[in-house]
Amino acid sequence: MTLDVRSIVSASTQPPSHAGTRTSLRNLNVPSQRRTVLKAVATASVALGGSFLGMVTRAEPAAAETNPGGNLQGWDDCHQGYQPVRDTSGLYYNWQNACHGGTYRSSEYCNVNGWHRQDSSGTPTVTYDYIASSDRCWAASDNHNSWTWSASANRNGSGTQHPFRCSDGKVIVITAGGSTPYDTVCRFKKD
């Protein structure tokens, strides 16, 4: 079917049978006053607008997290203006930089819950003690251990951004000759 411009009805011309076009509100048991109609339109607009806003994903404000043990929290006021640095190893070595600080940054320093490891491993000649730390943001321990940043799978930052938890800790390397502590950061992908 082809639309012909001449078949479009003019807005200023009334249709041939316009006698019943104004009876829609007469069937209601409410007086058809201008205020009643405006109230109905306003109520419908608010309801539709509220429904639409409820469907839109809202950005949540940054908030501190607490680790499963309940003794360490995320930072929400530290490292302002910091520059993220590349991971030194792990799953996200080739991803966009996300975490800051530490001699070593890697997913290898994370436990299964995505927080810095707190265990030991090693061989008969070398032991690695993993400890979560909470003294990097402030001079004293304040139980704040991690922060969340977004990063892309592409080194240049293009593409989908993913949230990462960067959880501070230390690894102490123990050998027959002594022990050496290193500041480390666990990088955990949260989605």
Side-chain angles (χ1 to χ4, degrees):
M1 178 175 149
T2 309
L3 179 64
D4 182 14
V5 175
R6 291 173 288 178
S7 67
I8 298 175
V9 180
S10 170
S12 61
T13 308
Q14 297 225 357
S17 171
H18 65 277
T21 59
R22 297 186 184 184
T23 61
S24 59
L25 294 177
R26 289 188 186 141
N27 295 332
L28 297 174
N29 290 333
V30 179
S32 60
Q33 298 174 354
R34 181 182 300 172
R35 287 186 180 175
T36 305
V37 172
L38 290 176
K39 283 182 194 176
V41 169
T43 302
S45 298
V46 169
L48 286 172
S51 297
F52 175 74
L53 289 175
M55 292 184 290
V56 174
T57 303
R58 293 179 297 246
E60 296 295 325
E65 301 176 279
T66 302
N67 75 333
N71 61 334
L72 297 173
Q73 296 178 341
W75 290 337
D76 54 4
D77 62 352
C78 190
H79 290 294
Q80 296 178 6
Y82 89 140
Q83 288 297 98
V85 250
R86 186 174 187 166
D87 287 14
T88 53
S89 63
L91 296 172
Y92 309 109
Y93 176 74
N94 288 316
W95 285 48
Q96 180 185 18
N97 302 345
C99 299
H100 172 77
T103 306
Y104 300 104
R105 293 159 303 284
S106 174
S107 58
E108 296 168 356
Y109 299 112
C110 301
N111 64 21
V112 295
N113 297 311
W115 292 82
H116 199 283
R117 292 175 61 171
Q118 298 187 77
D119 64 345
S120 295
S121 67
T123 66
T125 57
V126 179
T127 301
Y128 301 94
D129 284 342
Y130 299 95
I131 302 166
S133 65
S134 59
D135 58 357
R136 296 244 187 95
C137 186
W138 307 109
S141 177
D142 60 358
N143 293 335
H144 287 81
N145 167 265
S146 72
W147 65 101
T148 299
W149 297 106
S150 294
S152 166
N154 301 312
R155 295 278 312 139
N156 65 4
S158 65
T160 303
Q161 297 286 307
H162 300 276
F164 283 91
R165 178 185 302 119
C166 301
S167 177
D168 287 343
K170 295 183 184 303
V171 61
I172 301 171
V173 181
I174 304 167
T175 63
S179 64
T180 307
Y182 296 97
D183 288 339
T184 53
V185 177
C186 145
R187 180 176 179 176
F188 176 75
K189 187 169 173 273
K190 294 171 62 174
D191 65 355

